Amino acid sequence: MQAVILVGGEGTRLRPLTYGTPKPMVPLFGVPFLERTIVRLREAGVNEVILAAGYLPQAIIDHFGDGSTVGLRVTYVLEKAPLGTAGALRNVADRLTGAFFVLNGDVLTSLDLRAMLAYHNDKGGEGVIHAIRVDDPSAFGCLVHDGTGRIARFVEKPPRAEAPTDEINAGTYLLERSVLDRIPSGRAVSIERETFPELLAAGGRLYAYTTDDYWLDVGRPEQYVQAHSDVLDGKLVLPSSHHASSGTVFAVPSPQAPPNLHPPAFVGAGVTIDPSAVVGPYAIVGDGCRIGAGAHVRNSILWDGVAIEAGAQVSDAILASNVTVGKGAIVRAGAVIGHDASIAAGRVLEPQARIAAGD
Ligand code: GDD
Ligand code: MG
């Protein structure tokens, strides 16, 4: 079984994190997000993953190579200019031998891929789209289907008041090769705005596979933070095989946690925390971070090598690799700081600040 993962997006909504790190390589508990997705595919019986990439692909290639470290074959097809979500599939058509999975690269879910395959074999259509119910469908593709699951309409990102349903495209497809024949080559094509609507209008059969699995698109800062708190809260259990990181999860309660570490929290390898600093709850501290005397870090995600100097306060923020927060500085309320940036001593960031190196 083969799977194509769409990882060519620029990750605009996660900037400045994605200036230096492509969205699929953004860490979840110290492990690149995409690694967990690939392990999940392997555990479902997929033996080849084709990565349709384009934006900062080298970081992805350097990490996964031929796939031997993740236990399946990984190949890459790079787009010189983005081909869109369907154009990217058309671009890999000559590598696909039968029905195949397609995954949006930024989705965190507990979906059972084998059960979805069985559903597809039962329905016998051209494809199946995983569907989830959400409160606000306006940021997603809406799926209108009948009682048998057969999809009548696909409406991408409707205004909230016009959304025809609360069931949305959850970004995992199982498609027959015949779908590829419907995608024009040589230009950018959107599967959501062109291919699916056109296939349905032509009488093609697509089915919704609606589940109540854990599901989150981590492509925005709030959701990226939520993914971590959901795991710490036990709403999503990451299988132990997905814990490739050498860090430690401190659940609630954690009798072994030092008194200044307030669970739930995650602490990577080689971290130094001053005894007078306070870390947690909901702190994710990457490998090699240093937290100085009297500093506070809570409800925040620190990638590797971040330095929080004495008396600094970090709350509700995301700090990419090697960020330095100077003495007494305050980083708060939705701030997102790009890799290698320095926050000067005493500086107080505005809520929702976006700071890249050199700012
Ligand atoms: N190779 C390639 N080329 N990949 C692309 C391209 C491209 O031109 N454009 C986007 N992608 C990848 C992104 O990297 C991401 O993994 C995936 O396609 C979806 O793109 P997003 O930019 O994250 O789309 P979205 O979140 O706004 O909406 C999509 O996902 C929703 C579920 O999370 C749509 O598929 C919606 O219908 C869906 O509900
Ligand atoms: Mg997305």
Side-chain angles (χ1 to χ4, degrees):
M1 188 88 197
Q2 295 171 298
V4 182
I5 310 182
L6 299 172
V7 291
E10 293 184 9
T12 21
R13 289 161 291 192
L14 280 182
R15 286 175 183 166
L17 301 174
T18 44
Y19 282 138
T21 304
K23 184 160 68 168
M25 297 305 289
V26 163
L28 186 69
F29 292 92
V31 176
F33 187 77
L34 182 59
E35 185 165 329
R36 298 184 191 281
T37 305
I38 292 180
V39 170
R40 201 164 63 83
L41 286 166
R42 185 192 71 215
E43 290 172 349
V46 169
N47 54 15
E48 180 181 1
V49 166
I50 300 165
L51 297 178
Y55 179 70
L56 300 178
Q58 200 57 44
I60 305 174
I61 297 169
D62 288 347
H63 186 81
F64 293 103
D66 64 1
S68 41
T69 55
V70 278
L72 43 60
R73 192 165 122 90
V74 177
T75 59
Y76 306 84
V77 178
L78 307 185
E79 295 157 35
K80 286 193 196 77
L83 287 172
T85 43
L89 296 182
R90 173 77 211 208
N91 197 39
V92 305
D94 61 354
R95 305 201 177 196
L96 295 166
T97 53
F100 55 97
F101 283 109
V102 179
L103 278 72
N104 283 351
D106 56 0
V107 164
L108 183 62
T109 179
S110 58
L111 168 69
D112 180 343
L113 292 156
R114 285 185 198 270
M116 182 162 160
L117 175 59
Y119 178 84
H120 173 64
N121 290 336
D122 182 44
K123 293 294 180 185
E126 282 194 72
V128 168
I129 301 176
H130 179 217
I132 283 282
R133 287 193 177 80
V134 296
D135 292 333
D136 178 5
S138 62
F140 305 106
C142 287
L143 295 176
V144 182
H145 62 80
D146 67 15
T148 71
R150 184 164 174 179
I151 301 172
R153 283 200 297 143
F154 188 109
V155 188
E156 181 70 4
K157 302 195 175 107
R160 191 167 186 178
E162 293 168 26
T165 164
D166 62 354
E167 274 187 58
I168 59 119
N169 166 25
T172 302
Y173 319 130
L174 182 55
L175 303 178
E176 291 293 333
R177 289 200 83 253
S178 60
V179 175
L180 301 172
D181 301 334
R182 299 177 182 269
I183 306 171
S185 56
R187 68 167 173 91
V189 184
S190 161
I191 203 164
E192 299 89 350
R193 295 184 192 275
E194 298 175 67
T195 311
F196 286 151
E198 287 168 14
L199 188 154
L200 295 168
R205 280 194 297 143
L206 291 175
Y207 288 88
Y209 181 59
T210 309
T211 74
D212 56 4
D213 278 290
Y214 179 88
W215 184 87
L216 196 65
D217 177 330
V218 300
R220 284 168 289 168
E222 303 74 34
Q223 278 69 25
Y224 176 58
V225 171
Q226 192 192 332
H228 288 84
S229 34
D230 284 348
V231 171
L232 290 174
D233 287 341
K235 290 182 187 159
L236 172 68
V237 177
L238 294 178
S240 58
S241 55
H242 300 204
H243 281 287
S245 158
S246 47
T248 308
V249 174
F250 293 92
V252 180
S254 276
Q256 82 280 27
N260 61 336
L261 184 72
H262 298 179
F266 170 85
V267 179
V271 169
T272 51
I273 301 175
D274 188 275
S276 65
V278 178
V279 173
Y282 298 99
I284 308 294
V285 183
D287 291 351
C289 288
R290 289 184 293 113
I291 319 278
H296 284 217
V297 177
R298 65 176 165 79
N299 199 28
S300 293
I301 299 174
L302 279 49
W303 295 8
D304 294 349
V306 171
I308 310 295
E309 294 182 353
Q313 294 182 32
V314 177
S315 59
D316 308 300
I318 307 169
L319 281 56
S321 300
N322 305 318
V323 164
T324 301
V325 178
K327 281 185 184 161
I330 297 181
V331 175
R332 57 183 177 149
V336 182
I337 317 295
H339 62 92
D340 299 314
S342 291
I343 308 301
R347 185 171 172 191
V348 178
L349 293 189
E350 293 302 313
Q352 304 296 323
R354 298 285 180 272
I355 305 223
D359 287 351

